[in-house]
Each structure stands twice: as structure tokens, then as C-alpha cells.
Amino acid sequence: MTPRPGPMTPARLPLAALCALALALSGCSTSIWQRAYRPSPLSADAPLAGTAETGASSAAADPSYPSNHPVVVRQAPWERVEAALDELEAREVASDVHTSEWSLSEKAAATDQLLSALQLQESAGSATIVGMSSFATTEPIRPGSGELARQARSVGADYAIWSSRYLGRGTRVVDRPVTVHRHGWGEYYDRHDGRWRSRYHSTVDTAWVPVVVEADRVAYVAFFIRKSPLVDHGADR
């Protein structure tokens, strides 16, 4: 079975080579969208199962866009996404070959179905699903903050279409301020008469203490779509 979000369970999404949950992501400078990103086996130039691109070929085919490249970031209704993922999962289960080894017509049919679910006026002839990000978290996520658009540019995508589903309550660790009072007797050197003296001191400081709190747990999925060159997309603007 392939992962797709469901009540009180981690996200379950089809296309095993495409989707992978990132439920335990390490803290680093990259965004959660980047850490959870997986290339799409529906892409015509996706490597076959069991193979990998060499570093030279990957660098030569760097698809990233400049930082000022426009990216459409938009939300799609989860009900539409879920229905499309169910159908794609059925296709994957029924297939005797890995998704990356499907024929071009099979990949095009699956791509058209998913693009329609994402409410895009595109088709397999005018756009390619280059990859997706999938994860569940109790951390606050803001798809419009710019991180999702930056991830889209880094993989050469013109669209970043996301959807989410509430999974229930979970826990997360946050830092909370705690007032710390310190007091006691101490010695100091009196320069006026060259003698050591005792003095009572009292200070108030703030310490940050990790605390486990309840929070909403939400599953997110984002699809990154690249428009094909030399295609008129005026009708979709």
C-alpha cells in the first residue's frame, strides 16, 4: 500500500517512487518542502527504477530557475487530490512494471488526470510533473511564505500546487520563558581599603526551557509542475 493522509494516521500517497513521508525531518537550513521533495516517475526524463543519474549529467541538466522567476503557488481542494491519488494508486497496483517504466502514453494519461485534479488548465503535452513534497507535521506551515516558491524554482517548476488535510491532535516541543531568581552571599574586593568584604546579591534572569505542548497535526502535499517551452499559456493566466 502507498501512503495517503487519513484521519489520525500519517499521510498515505500513491506512486511509491514519487512519494515518501518525511515525518522525522532533521533541523537544518533547508525548508521542509525541500527536505521532503521526491522526483516524479511520471516525468518523461525520470531515471528508471534501480538507476541513478551521474553527478555530471545531473549538473549539466540543472533545471533551476533564477530567483525572480514567477511561480504560481495555489491550493487545491483535498477531496479532488485524494480522488486522483486513489485512481493513480489503483493504476500503480495493477501495473506489472514500475511507474518509471510506464509507456509515454500511460505517463501522459496519469499526468492529465492529476493536472485536472489540481485544477490546472494544462495537459501532458504542455506541462510535466517534475516532483512532489509530502510530509506530516505539528509545526505551523505557511505555503505562501516564499519557501514553497523557492523550492519550485530550484527544481525548475512554474507551479507549486499544494493541499493539506487535518490529521488530529499531536504534540511538539516549544521553548517557553521561565523566570529564574538567583541570590546568595559573595565576596568582593574593596579597592578603597584593600580588604575583602561579603555582600548579599540577588538577580533575576530569563531561561528558555523546552516544553511539550499539544498542537494540530496536518498532512501536506505539494506538486511541482513545469510548463513546456514554446507553449501559449495565456488562457491560464
Side-chain angles (χ1 to χ4, degrees), residues 103-234:
S103 66
L104 292 179
S105 61
E106 289 175 316
K107 288 184 178 182
T111 297
D112 286 342
Q113 183 179 28
L114 189 50
L115 292 175
S116 176
L118 298 176
Q119 298 178 315
L120 283 178
Q121 296 179 16
E122 304 282 359
S123 68
S126 66
T128 300
I129 300 175
V130 296
M132 69 177 292
S133 296
S134 166
F135 57 89
T137 182
T138 54
E139 296 297 323
I141 300 296
R142 296 185 296 275
S145 67
E147 288 186 344
L148 186 53
R150 282 192 292 274
Q151 174 59 19
R153 293 187 190 98
S154 73
V155 297
D158 300 280
Y159 297 97
I161 309 301
W162 65 276
S163 190
S164 64
R165 180 170 186 170
Y166 176 71
L167 299 180
R169 297 290 284 175
T171 60
R172 64 188 180 101
V173 178
V174 298
D175 288 334
R176 292 287 171 82
V178 175
T179 300
V180 179
H181 297 272
R182 296 185 176 92
H183 56 84
W185 289 92
E187 291 189 335
Y188 72 99
Y189 183 71
D190 191 337
R191 294 184 178 181
H192 294 289
D193 57 10
R195 300 178 61 182
W196 287 93
R197 300 184 182 279
S198 297
R199 179 171 59 187
Y200 182 82
H201 61 86
S202 177
T203 60
V204 178
D205 296 322
T206 299
W208 292 88
V209 178
V211 178
V212 176
V213 299
E214 283 196 346
D216 290 337
R217 184 172 177 81
V218 181
Y220 289 89
V221 59
F223 296 87
F224 301 94
I225 298 100
R226 180 190 305 141
K227 296 188 296 187
S228 300
L230 303 180
V231 175
D232 182 9
H233 296 270

Side-chain angles (χ1 to χ4, degrees), residues 19-106:
C19 311
L21 289 177
L23 301 180
L25 300 172
S26 60
C28 57
S29 60
T30 57
S31 74
I32 192 170
W33 304 103
Q34 180 179 351
R35 299 195 300 273
Y37 179 79
R38 296 294 182 273
S40 168
L42 293 179
S43 176
D45 56 356
L48 298 179
T51 66
E53 291 182 290
T54 64
S57 62
S58 177
D62 180 13
S64 62
Y65 286 145
S67 60
N68 61 346
H69 184 85
V71 173
V72 176
V73 177
R74 195 163 64 198
Q75 182 177 13
W78 176 253
E79 292 76 13
R80 293 179 61 91
V81 175
E82 182 178 42
L85 293 177
D86 281 340
E87 292 190 37
L88 287 173
E89 182 178 24
R91 289 190 187 190
E92 184 186 34
V93 171
S95 176
D96 292 329
V97 298
H98 188 269
T99 312
S100 64
E101 299 176 359
W102 284 1
S103 66
L104 292 179
S105 61
E106 289 175 316

